[in-house]
Amino acid sequence: MKISKNEVLHVAKLAHLTIDKEDVEKLSKQISSILDYVDTLKQVDTNCVKPTSHALLLTNAFREDTPKEHLDLEKALANAPKKEKDAFIVPKII
Amino acid sequence: MDLHELTILKALELIQTRAISSTELTKAVIDRIDKVENKVNAYITLVPEEALISAAMADQEIKQGNFLPLGGIPLAIKDLICTAGLKTTCGSKILADFIPPYDAGLITKLKQAGAVIIGKLNMDEFAMGSTNEHSAFKNTHNPWDLSRIPGGSSGGSAAAVAADMCLGAFGSDTGGSIRQPASHCGVVGMKPTYGRISRFGLVAFASSLDQIGPLAKSVGDCALLLKTASGYDPRDSTSVNKSVPDYSDLKANGLKNLKIGIPKEFLAVKGIDADVLRVINSTIETFKALGAEIIDISLPHTKYSVAVYYVIAPAEASSNLARYDGVKYGFRSDEAENLDQMYSKTRSKGFGTEVQRRIILGTYALSSGYYDAYYKKASQVRTLIIKDYKQAFNLCDLILTPVTPTPAFKIGEKIEDPLQLYLSDIFTISANLAGIPGICVPAGFSDKGLPIGMQLLGSHFQEDLLLNAAYNFEQATDFHRKKPDL
């Protein structure tokens, strides 16, 4: 399977990545060669095989819905690139 | 023997009999780091002052007769396990200044056990890589030959243990990231069963595959570290509530009644180095001499494990890494004029090339129209790989394989061809897909004197069996006694 330069740009946009022009061709080649290799999976008959998302058969882990200690505001904001009072600051949206 | 060369078990004995103090031991390790770190480059962050304070506290405990399981032992931690108040970068520019507000489940356990944390270890960015060349900060060098890679992604961890720059370390293993560098650096490394050690506070790469595990100078040390780190943690929803056996109860009584399977597909892999084959064959002979029965087994779908992994791991990563948006923590580009630009400029500048490559690959595999062909197909083949292992463990107790097709290669040798590098994960990846435990133990040297490990795999939660077999092998050989000449 080949991934074209346009598809690389489209997927990068979906993932919020800006790719430099000179890197697009390289990425398209590298990812295409990985996808070609992944295509070996087509050799495997997976009719009626259930997909596995977790190796151990885990079911949902529930807990009682009771309030617990949580990070205080100061700690939660300590790593913020931009903050003001009790809020994270981001560029204007509307 | 210099103090920094001690195993954890020997150091504990000397500390508890008051022959040495934790402060003396910690100082010796700091001196060792001062001497060789400029050659090895294993650490991203060092905290000698804090370590000496913890060591003094450990010495106080010991004076009062309180012997904790790791009381006074200097350990180091791969830089993707959160340490409260101590920078945790994940080897990435995007987290270069990130100071976690809390400790990971592992760190809480280590602190309760009296361990002294001496620093945070280098790694491939977000654990994506097997050479440490994808660290945003530095290249770690293999202590056995400084021109070679230490392996990865826990390369800093393996190199620091091999070079006696800590007594033991913890790393993480998503596709071989503990076992492969352990093999390249000549140390013991273990990936436990998925769910055995809490992943709370482990920065996520591929959540269904990631597992924390120890790297150590001996099997006995590895067992003690595993025992201390294991156990249920309600803060990790995939943590398994199962009692922790006494992994340290190891006996060199031989291995009669143990059946070890050799998967024929693994030895038929193209490109296995002659030195690696020689080491595996001599390992088989050692196990026979210990009384184990060796049988041939087949794992027919494991040849697809690299292809399965390089769909599932990037897919999970593309989702996990969506959280790095420059809003709440981490790097933010200040060139943006609007929110969309802030996201994309932050992520493009903050992530390195390998991480961006995998995010694009994973996003593509999950995107509309391709999901069935890639993610679903890979998840189905994953089911078949798990079935292969289940059937194999009906015939044998443990499985013996190489860890890597070749010994450590030169820095820069494979960086331009990601697929070639991915293919070298063939022996380690399927254990993560199946969630089973695996251990790498030093098993020989190449003609050039580079360490080569062997891998034992066991069924879910059979860590005790794995460790005991590894211990018997170690006691019957002396590869683990050889040290790199730094």
Side-chain angles (χ1 to χ4, degrees):
Chain A
M1 190 82 164
K2 297 280 176 242
I3 174 165
S4 67
K5 286 190 266 182
N6 276 338
E7 281 174 305
V8 167
L9 286 170
H10 172 66
V11 174
K13 202 177 162 209
L14 292 178
H16 285 295
L17 292 169
T18 317
I19 308 291
D20 288 341
K21 268 194 192 122
E22 56 266 37
D23 290 336
V24 177
E25 181 154 0
K26 195 170 159 189
L27 270 169
S28 141
K29 272 190 189 155
Q30 285 173 335
I31 294 177
S32 293
S33 82
I34 297 165
L35 291 173
D36 278 342
Y37 179 73
V38 167
D39 279 344
T40 55
L41 294 180
K42 285 184 182 156
Q43 300 163 6
V44 189
D45 179 6
T46 49
N47 255 330
C48 306
V49 177
K50 278 191 183 163
T52 297
S53 60
H54 263 85
L56 270 72
L57 291 173
L58 299 166
T59 48
N60 286 332
F62 292 115
R63 61 172 170 78
E64 290 304 312
D65 187 16
T66 44
K68 282 188 186 168
E69 273 186 47
H70 53 82
L71 282 184
D72 59 44
L73 264 177
E74 197 189 326
K75 276 190 172 178
L77 286 164
N79 280 292
K82 266 192 186 170
K83 59 189 164 184
E84 213 176 290
K85 292 179 186 160
D86 292 347
F88 299 105
I89 300 298
V90 294
K92 196 172 167 185
I93 296 169
I94 313 166
Chain B
M1 185 185 266
D2 291 321
L3 293 186
H4 59 262
E5 293 183 3
L6 293 173
T7 61
I8 295 172
L9 290 177
K10 188 68 193 166
L12 278 172
E13 189 191 312
L14 294 175
I15 288 175
Q16 291 175 2
T17 56
R18 311 279 293 272
I20 63 167
S21 68
S22 170
T23 303
E24 286 171 303
L25 177 63
T26 305
K27 273 188 183 155
V29 171
I30 294 168
D31 286 347
R32 173 69 176 172
I33 295 169
D34 283 344
K35 211 173 145 195
V36 298
E37 171 64 1
N38 61 347
K39 296 183 194 167
V40 181
N41 269 336
Y43 282 90
I44 291 179
T45 306
L46 273 163
V47 282
E49 289 89 11
E50 290 84 343
L52 284 171
I53 292 168
S54 305
M57 279 162 64
D59 284 332
Q60 281 302 320
E61 292 283 328
I62 287 148
K63 258 186 204 158
Q64 290 163 12
N66 291 338
F67 297 148
L68 295 170
L70 293 170
I73 299 297
L75 300 179
I77 310 292
K78 185 178 181 181
D79 209 16
L80 80 174
I81 297 171
C82 286
T83 39
L86 172 56
K87 209 167 67 172
T88 300
T89 69
C90 231
S92 180
K93 262 196 262 176
I94 213 158
L95 287 175
D97 300 312
F98 177 64
I99 297 174
Y102 56 80
D103 275 329
L106 170 76
I107 302 300
T108 306
K109 276 186 181 285
L110 292 180
K111 286 183 177 171
Q112 281 166 354
V116 171
I117 291 171
I118 202 153
K120 303 294 290 284
L121 295 159
N122 197 25
M123 54 181 285
D124 291 291
E125 184 178 4
F126 283 98
M128 297 177 191
S130 45
T131 65
N132 267 37
E133 292 165 292
H134 294 301
S135 164
F137 305 111
K138 50 169 72 171
N139 277 353
T140 297
H141 298 256
N142 191 314
W144 294 86
D145 176 346
L146 297 171
S147 69
R148 291 175 191 269
I149 55 121
S153 63
S154 311
S157 308
V161 173
D164 295 312
M165 298 157 79
C166 58
L167 267 70
F170 279 90
S172 65
D173 190 314
T174 304
S177 278
I178 289 173
R179 292 160 287 155
Q180 184 257 21
S183 179
H184 284 336
C185 293
V187 301
V188 178
M190 187 173 205
K191 181 204 98 72
T193 307
Y194 184 76
R196 180 76 291 188
I197 297 177
S198 168
R199 292 188 296 114
F200 176 76
L202 167 72
V203 177
F205 160 16
S207 305
S208 82
L209 306 165
D210 297 341
Q211 182 58 68
I212 291 176
L215 295 103
K217 298 180 190 180
S218 72
V219 175
D221 283 5
C222 178
L224 178 62
L225 292 175
L226 178 69
K227 188 174 140 187
T228 313
S230 294
Y232 178 63
D233 182 351
R235 296 170 300 177
D236 168 7
S237 64
T238 59
S239 167
V240 176
N241 199 348
K242 201 169 163 52
S243 63
V244 179
D246 183 5
Y247 295 127
S248 291
D249 184 22
L250 302 167
K251 292 192 177 71
N253 291 345
L255 297 170
K256 286 211 170 66
N257 303 322
L258 189 80
K259 250 190 211 175
I260 299 178
I262 314 287
K264 61 176 187 195
E265 291 81 6
F266 280 45
L267 296 180
V269 165
K270 274 183 206 151
I272 298 193
D273 195 273
D275 282 326
V276 173
L277 278 178
R278 171 177 53 78
V279 164
I280 290 304
N281 285 325
S282 73
T283 301
I284 292 174
E285 292 312 311
T286 307
F287 276 119
K288 279 185 187 164
L290 285 163
E293 187 189 340
I294 305 289
I295 63 165
D296 290 326
I297 57 160
S298 175
L299 298 165
H301 296 95
T302 48
K303 65 176 176 215
Y304 299 109
S305 53
V306 174
V308 171
Y309 179 90
Y310 280 97
V311 174
I312 290 176
E316 292 186 14
S318 70
S319 160
N320 272 326
L321 271 59
R323 76 191 66 188
Y324 301 99
D325 55 7
V327 175
K328 298 187 287 297
Y329 49 83
F331 165 79
R332 178 193 291 189
S333 164
D334 51 15
E335 291 168 16
E337 286 161 19
N338 56 46
L339 192 69
D340 259 354
Q341 275 187 15
M342 187 195 84
Y343 291 149
S344 56
K345 289 196 173 181
T346 293
R347 289 164 62 79
S348 300
K349 290 216 163 125
F351 291 136
T353 51
E354 177 65 16
V355 172
Q356 295 197 40
R357 187 155 49 225
R358 294 207 201 183
I359 290 175
I360 290 174
L361 178 58
T363 307
Y364 182 72
L366 289 176
S367 63
S368 165
Y370 298 106
Y371 178 88
D372 279 0
Y374 291 113
Y375 188 75
K376 189 179 168 202
K377 183 79 181 180
S379 304
Q380 286 173 312
V381 180
R382 184 178 184 183
T383 305
L384 297 174
I385 291 169
I386 294 171
K387 212 169 130 196
D388 280 0
Y389 274 110
K390 269 194 186 141
Q391 284 168 349
F393 287 123
N394 287 332
L395 302 173
C396 62
D397 304 302
L398 299 177
I399 294 172
L400 168 67
T401 81
V403 185
T404 60
T406 66
F409 45 87
K410 298 266 186 190
I411 292 171
E413 197 178 314
K414 295 194 183 178
I415 197 158
E416 284 304 316
D417 190 347
L419 180 61
Q420 279 314 308
L421 201 55
Y422 297 172
L423 291 174
S424 66
D425 297 342
I426 180 73
F427 300 125
T428 48
I429 268 180
S430 54
N432 299 77
L433 293 169
I436 58 171
I439 190 168
C440 161
V441 184
F445 292 89
S446 73
D447 284 349
K448 290 191 180 118
L450 299 167
I452 295 173
M454 60 90 170
Q455 172 175 246
L456 290 171
L457 300 171
S459 192
H460 294 139
F461 297 104
Q462 296 278 297
E463 283 85 354
D464 42 357
L465 197 65
L466 271 181
L467 286 160
N468 206 58
Y471 181 67
N472 273 270
F473 175 82
E474 181 191 68
Q475 295 304 304
T477 56
D478 56 5
F479 307 116
H480 61 292
R481 285 185 224 286
K482 234 179 137 182
K483 297 253 180 202
D485 191 14
L486 269 168

